[in-house]
Each structure stands twice: as structure tokens, then as C-alpha cells.
Amino acid sequence: MWALLGAALIAATPSGDIPELGRDVVPDGRVDPAEWRGAREVKVDGMRVRLGRRGDALAVAVELDGPGISSLVVGAADRVWVLHASA
């Protein structure tokens, strides 16, 4: 529960506080250091969250310290999306 709360607080950061990435992030399930160079990184309860912007797109990477599967919950106005690692 705390990890979810921590991730929610990180994502609630104003977009001006999220750095612009120098290149596009390929959604291939891997965290390429070159793609994420300059991203904001936060460690929360056994996971590492990276945030970056590319134009008006928000890029998010979640790495777990141990085995498991993560999900990302995204909300805007009256909608909520649950993005699961298996999708």
C-alpha cells in the first residue's frame, strides 16, 4: 500500500518539475540508461520510479528491487486507468 501511495505522490508532481528527456523512450520493457538520462528518479519501498517528459508525453519506468509485477494507476479528471505490466 505504501509503495502505491508513494508512486501516486511522485506522479502528482507538477509537470514543470519533470525533466525533458533527450531522446524517445522505447516501450519495450527494458530501461535503457541512454533513454532515461536526466530523468527524475525516486526510490520508494523496494522500487525505483523514473519520470521524464518528451514533448507533451509523460514517460514512466518502474523497476522493482525483487521479483514481482508492477501496475501503474493513472488518473485525469473523471477517469482512471490501470496499466499492468502484462499489457
Side-chain angles (χ1 to χ4, degrees), residues 1-32:
M1 175 172 112
W2 292 112
L4 178 61
L5 177 60
L9 292 173
I10 293 166
T13 301
S15 62
D17 292 345
I18 300 173
E20 182 79 21
L21 298 175
R23 55 191 290 195
D24 290 339
V25 173
V26 178
D28 58 3
R30 299 173 190 191
V31 178
D32 178 348

Side-chain angles (χ1 to χ4, degrees), residues 12-80:
T13 301
S15 62
D17 292 345
I18 300 173
E20 182 79 21
L21 298 175
R23 55 191 290 195
D24 290 339
V25 173
V26 178
D28 58 3
R30 299 173 190 191
V31 178
D32 178 348
E35 292 173 345
W36 289 96
R37 187 168 292 119
R40 181 170 178 213
E41 295 184 18
V42 179
K43 287 193 131 201
V44 179
D45 281 346
M47 71 177 167
R48 180 179 181 183
V49 179
R50 291 181 175 143
L51 298 171
R53 288 183 299 113
R54 196 71 177 134
D56 62 352
L58 172 65
V60 180
V62 178
E63 289 181 282
L64 303 177
D65 288 343
I69 298 175
S70 62
S71 296
L72 180 64
V73 179
V74 179
D78 62 345
R79 296 179 187 214
V80 174

